[in-house]
Amino acid sequence: MSKTKDKADTMNFNIEKLNKIAKPRSVKAIERARLRKENREWLSLSQEIALAIHYYIRKAGSTQKKLAEDLNVSPAYVAKLLKGGENLTLETICKIQHVIGEEFMCKCF
């Protein structure tokens, strides 16, 4: 056998093996992917805010608990913010901007 044919046979074997063991995507996974695609813009902003919060906590030598107190929210909510998947209200964004001293959204007036 030639090297090319051996490689092709190995490829076919691997694809066949993959098709046997691969599971189809679940309905839940398909729905999560659809939601991520539909909400890409605000999810991106939420992730940027989460990174800014992480940076602030490190730079300030602060804690999630202290940030929660400063924002007047629960520590559990700060943990959610840090995951970068929260659909934040304008009020919450403004509070975060004030506490950490960074603007995420410009004033358009």
Side-chain angles (χ1 to χ4, degrees):
M1 275 195 206
S2 71
K3 286 185 178 183
T4 307
K5 187 170 181 176
D6 288 340
K7 192 172 183 179
D9 288 341
T10 302
M11 258 321 229
N12 287 337
F13 172 74
N14 289 339
I15 290 171
E16 288 171 12
K17 186 175 180 181
L18 179 63
N19 286 334
K20 285 181 184 175
I21 61 173
K23 296 178 183 174
R25 290 174 53 193
S26 70
V27 173
K28 196 174 185 179
I30 292 168
E31 178 64 14
R32 281 195 313 266
R34 184 186 66 75
L35 287 172
R36 274 194 312 271
K37 188 175 180 181
E38 286 178 4
N39 300 306
R40 183 170 286 150
E41 288 180 17
W42 69 259
L43 281 169
S44 177
L45 182 58
S46 181
Q47 290 165 353
E48 286 180 36
I49 292 169
L51 288 173
I53 293 170
H54 276 288
Y55 180 74
Y56 167 78
I57 289 172
R58 271 200 193 149
K59 183 180 165 190
S62 191
T63 63
Q64 289 182 29
K65 184 177 180 180
K66 173 71 171 105
L67 181 62
E69 291 169 4
D70 293 345
L71 293 173
N72 198 27
V73 298
S74 70
Y77 186 66
V78 170
K80 284 174 112 177
L81 293 176
L82 291 170
K83 289 181 182 178
E86 276 299 292
N87 190 357
L88 305 170
T89 64
L90 293 173
E91 178 184 9
T92 301
I93 293 170
C94 288
K95 281 182 182 179
I96 294 168
Q97 288 180 151
H98 177 74
V99 170
I100 72 173
E102 185 175 332
E103 257 188 51
F104 309 110
M105 302 178 73
C106 64
K107 295 177 184 171
C108 302
F109 55 90

